[in-house]
Amino acid sequence: FREVIQTYPAAPDAAIAQFQIGESYYYKKDCKAAVVEYQKFVTDYPKSDRRPEGLYMLGVCYSDLGQRTNAQRAFEQVVKEHPSSNSAIMATQRLQGMGR
């Protein structure tokens, strides 16, 4: 994935590759590394179709790490920026579970 990003940094596949790096760490149960990669995805590829999912997964990882405030911010950002997305629906459920 990193090779795709280095070779074609502006290509749509670069955004997908960056997101997949975050996913890889998440599925390895390494949320600290996943947070770094999802944040990089959200920051570097703000127009990606997968941005809502990236923000949501950022919130999930923060939640798994016990960083409630950061998780809440990420979930709220999904709802604010992409209110009709599936990720916003899931983020709303997470926020309700947090008492928000």
Side-chain angles (χ1 to χ4, degrees), residues 36-56:
V36 171
E37 301 302 337
Y38 285 129
Q39 186 61 60
K40 184 166 177 48
F41 167 75
V42 168
T43 301
D44 291 355
Y45 304 99
K47 297 194 186 299
S48 172
D49 292 343
R50 298 197 74 180
R51 180 175 171 81
E53 191 176 356
L55 286 166
Y56 174 76

Side-chain angles (χ1 to χ4, degrees), residues 4-45:
V4 170
I5 295 166
Q6 288 175 341
T7 307
Y8 308 102
D13 288 344
I16 294 167
Q18 183 60 52
F19 180 83
Q20 288 304 125
I21 293 170
E23 292 282 273
S24 296
Y25 282 115
Y26 177 74
Y27 287 110
K28 285 174 54 177
K29 308 272 190 242
D30 185 351
C31 279
K32 277 188 171 183
V35 161
V36 171
E37 301 302 337
Y38 285 129
Q39 186 61 60
K40 184 166 177 48
F41 167 75
V42 168
T43 301
D44 291 355
Y45 304 99

